[in-house]
Amino acid sequence: MENPPEQDDPYGGERVRMVREQIERRGISDPRVLRAMESVPRHLFVPEPFRASAHDDGPLPLGEGQTISQPYIVAFMSEAIRPRPTDPVLEVGTGSGYQTAVLSRLVGQVDTIEVRRTLADLARERLRKIGCANVTVRVGDGHGGLPGEAPFDAIIVTAAPQEIPPALLEQLAVGGRLVIPLGTLDQELVRVTRRESGIDREVLLPVRFVPLIREALRPD
Ligand code: SAH
């Protein structure tokens, strides 16, 4: 006999509520994104002491002074890259791996780069446990992207530099979308779409992310 659903997935109901109240209500409508947000067990990406708050409408600490993004922002960025089921995607700033897990249900392959080894190792283990087979977690400075795997149909950056790192633009396929927060305190989320000639640039939303750091400056 199967276990009752609440035994298998004690937070399933909370996730459905999170998606209805925080995400759909604010205008996210891509059904694949909504389904991914309902199915990824967010509580497993949050440190134990914060588990009861895993579905709150805000960011949470994930260790090493970093934060796991607010559910709405994860959904917004996932929709903003216009994910297609076969896309190869690059993520910079793995953090907890939560955004990675959501992406892995929306696209073909996710390569994700995290500069802090401890966070990368934890994220890799969590992603393996929930069966995300199409994800590769790497340790390094994401400013340089991943030239060996380029071009990418989408690139998502979850830490904020001042300017778009040139390597990331270079590694975007024609028609590819890059979504990235830019700035220091008053940041804006920007989407760049690469065209045959030139790029389109749109400002999407005011946001607040941790800074994208240079590996050489890493406090280890
Ligand atoms: N998307 C994450 C949240 C990321 S917080 C989640 O869903 O949990 C931003 C992450 O970017 C932090 O883990 C930080 O260590 C990482 N980071 C900062 N600078 C970086 C760089 N240059 N290259 C790769 N990762 C970086």
Side-chain angles (χ1 to χ4, degrees):
M1 246 189 57
E2 282 185 28
N3 288 329
E6 59 277 13
Q7 209 162 311
D8 274 353
D9 186 3
Y11 292 100
E14 281 203 48
R15 280 202 307 280
V16 169
R17 211 171 319 124
M18 173 188 91
V19 170
R20 297 285 167 284
E21 293 174 7
Q22 302 173 32
I23 295 173
E24 259 189 299
R25 191 177 286 174
R26 291 194 182 113
I28 305 295
S29 60
D30 181 336
R32 297 176 64 241
V33 171
L34 298 174
R35 229 178 302 131
M37 296 291 299
E38 264 175 29
S39 71
V40 174
R42 180 167 165 95
H43 65 284
L44 298 182
F45 292 84
V46 167
E48 195 79 54
F50 297 103
R51 212 151 264 188
S53 316
H55 305 89
D56 288 2
D57 191 10
L60 287 169
L62 67 82
E64 303 212 12
Q66 307 304 304
T67 51
I68 171 170
S69 306
Q70 181 188 12
Y72 171 65
I73 294 294
V74 174
F76 186 95
M77 292 178 80
S78 302
E79 186 175 68
I81 61 162
R82 302 195 195 99
R84 296 174 305 188
T86 56
D87 284 346
V89 173
L90 173 67
E91 178 190 41
V92 175
T94 316
S96 68
Y98 176 65
Q99 171 79 76
T100 323
V102 172
L103 287 175
S104 80
R105 304 205 171 180
L106 296 170
V107 303
Q109 166 70 28
V110 186
D111 282 290
T112 182
I113 311 178
E114 168 57 52
V115 76
R116 293 179 167 88
R117 181 174 298 275
T118 319
L119 295 182
D121 290 345
L122 277 170
R124 191 183 295 111
E125 183 56 21
R126 291 185 185 113
L127 290 161
R128 191 192 58 77
K129 270 197 190 139
I130 67 162
C132 295
N134 59 343
V135 172
T136 308
V137 180
R138 298 162 200 265
V139 180
D141 181 345
H143 279 95
L146 212 52
E149 304 294 330
F152 297 98
D153 287 314
I155 300 178
I156 189 164
V157 184
T158 65
Q162 296 294 330
E163 311 274 348
I164 299 176
L168 299 185
L169 275 183
E170 282 158 22
Q171 292 171 28
L172 205 52
V174 172
R177 294 80 56 200
L178 163 67
V179 172
I180 184 168
L182 294 176
T184 312
L185 282 180
D186 289 322
Q187 300 167 7
E188 43 194 31
L189 192 67
V190 169
R191 174 170 57 201
V192 166
T193 307
R194 180 145 185 196
R195 302 294 179 201
E196 287 284 356
S197 61
I199 60 165
D200 285 348
R201 185 181 165 121
E202 304 157 85
V203 174
L204 303 176
L205 203 68
V207 286
R208 173 77 63 97
F209 279 84
V210 298
L212 189 74
I213 60 168
R214 293 274 173 196
E215 186 170 30
L217 305 177
R218 184 159 51 113
D220 252 357

